[in-house]
Amino acid sequence: MRNIFVFLLPLLLVGCFHHGENDAKEAVDSFSVAYFNWRFKEAMPYVTPHSALWLRFAASQVDQEDVDSLRAKKYAADVRVEDVSSVDDTTKMATVIVKDFIVMDSIGGSPRVVPIDTFRLPLALANGFWRVHLRRLP
């Protein structure tokens, strides 16, 4: 019995390290959880280089009222990746449902909680990895 564990343990460990390494659904899920909870720095690894500009812009627009609204929330935004479909060899489109998240209103407006919304997020291959490719802020 012990010999079986000695043989299977390395296989299990190798399999764990490669799981999801280039998975589009995991990339969009990780991005969405970070982005819709306003953790823009944590979202950076899951976007294309061009998209990083959008995240920097979003972070620059956060003010104290936004921070206070985020701190007052009891729970984080709930994110569910509904679907990821191929457009072509280098492009995919993800449908993401987000519940109970805060959005910034226009300049001078107060942040508000949105109960539920659906987003379509494009993904592109960047250096061989699937990454969210923002053309605007979701």
Side-chain angles (χ1 to χ4, degrees):
M1 184 73 158
R2 187 173 132 153
N3 291 337
I4 291 174
F5 287 118
V6 171
F7 176 75
L8 292 178
L9 184 60
L11 291 175
L12 179 63
L13 291 174
V14 169
C16 289
F17 287 116
H18 294 289
H19 174 69
E21 192 172 278
N22 191 20
D23 184 66
K25 186 172 183 177
E26 286 186 27
V28 77
D29 180 68
S30 295
F31 164 80
S32 298
V33 168
Y35 177 82
F36 289 104
N37 287 294
W38 294 35
R39 296 189 311 256
F40 303 121
K41 188 174 181 179
E42 290 177 29
M44 284 284 191
Y46 305 104
V47 300
T48 61
H50 170 77
S51 301
L53 298 172
W54 285 106
L55 292 179
R56 285 187 191 103
F57 173 74
S60 74
Q61 301 304 304
V62 177
D63 63 20
Q64 189 59 48
E65 187 177 8
D66 299 323
V67 172
D68 293 342
S69 295
L70 287 167
R71 286 186 178 153
K73 275 187 84 229
K74 190 172 184 175
Y75 300 104
D78 180 40
V79 173
R80 181 170 44 112
V81 179
E82 188 72 16
D83 180 56
V84 177
S85 56
S86 291
V87 174
D88 57 39
D89 290 345
T90 60
T91 310
K92 294 186 183 220
M93 186 63 71
T95 303
V96 180
I97 298 172
V98 186
K99 296 178 182 175
D100 191 35
F101 65 102
I102 294 178
V103 295
M104 289 184 227
D105 267 340
S106 58
I107 296 173
S110 298
R112 61 185 171 86
V113 175
V114 175
I116 188 168
D117 205 348
T118 302
F119 297 88
R120 305 255 309 144
L121 301 176
L123 293 105
L125 277 176
N127 297 323
F129 292 93
W130 289 108
R131 299 293 179 244
V132 174
H133 183 64
L134 299 175
R135 296 179 183 106
R136 59 181 175 80
L137 291 175

